Amino acid sequence: QVQLVESGGGLVQAGGSLRLSCAASGRTFSSYGMGWFRQAPGKEREFVAGISRGGGSTYYTDSVKGRFTISRDNAKNTVYLQMNSLKPEDTAVYYCAADYLGLGNGRESGYDYWGQGTQVTVSS
């Protein structure tokens, strides 16, 4: 099993930046694909970004392409989401998730473990 803990959320002005971190337990972290999802009040959870087990493939939802970057450091059991040029529409609770199959793509049903989330609020 894998336990995931997100951090780095907060309040930021539109146009600003934040870096989210997801710290994972387990000795097989490098075998998992990793992804970030978000959920705004009254809306369904949506895929944001993902990365394959080796980091060779990354995936982004269209609304964040060119602004967000996902990366991982397997030696530190950590995945990151660098968020630049933030918009009010990015306001949501952001969740980290682990994919046993290792793909790290946008298929939500492929993720097996989830963190508790961290709040990101972007003011206008």
Side-chain angles (χ1 to χ4, degrees):
Q1 299 186 31
V2 176
Q3 292 183 325
L4 306 171
V5 180
E6 302 95 335
S7 63
L11 176 64
V12 65
Q13 188 175 354
S17 299
L18 284 173
R19 188 179 75 159
L20 305 183
S21 298
C22 175
S25 67
R27 300 172 65 183
T28 59
F29 172 78
S30 63
S31 296
Y32 290 84
M34 300 296 296
W36 287 96
F37 294 76
R38 66 188 181 188
Q39 186 169 28
K43 296 185 177 181
E44 295 184 351
R45 185 166 59 194
E46 65 174 345
F47 172 78
V48 178
I51 187 167
S52 60
R53 55 164 52 94
S57 299
T58 57
Y59 308 88
Y60 299 93
T61 191
D62 286 344
S63 64
V64 308
K65 288 180 179 177
R67 300 189 298 122
F68 291 10
T69 302
I70 188 170
S71 62
R72 67 190 298 160
D73 186 340
N74 287 344
K76 296 183 177 180
N77 279 17
T78 302
V79 63
Y80 305 95
L81 184 67
Q82 178 67 46
M83 305 185 294
N84 298 324
S85 301
L86 283 162
K87 304 175 181 179
E89 306 93 273
D90 296 317
T91 295
V93 176
Y94 282 70
Y95 297 91
C96 177
D99 163 22
Y100 173 81
L101 194 60
L103 298 179
N105 62 18
R107 186 179 181 183
E108 183 173 348
S109 62
Y111 290 84
D112 306 286
Y113 304 100
W114 295 81
Q116 295 299 306
T118 185
Q119 177 71 47
V120 172
T121 302
V122 184
S123 64
S124 60

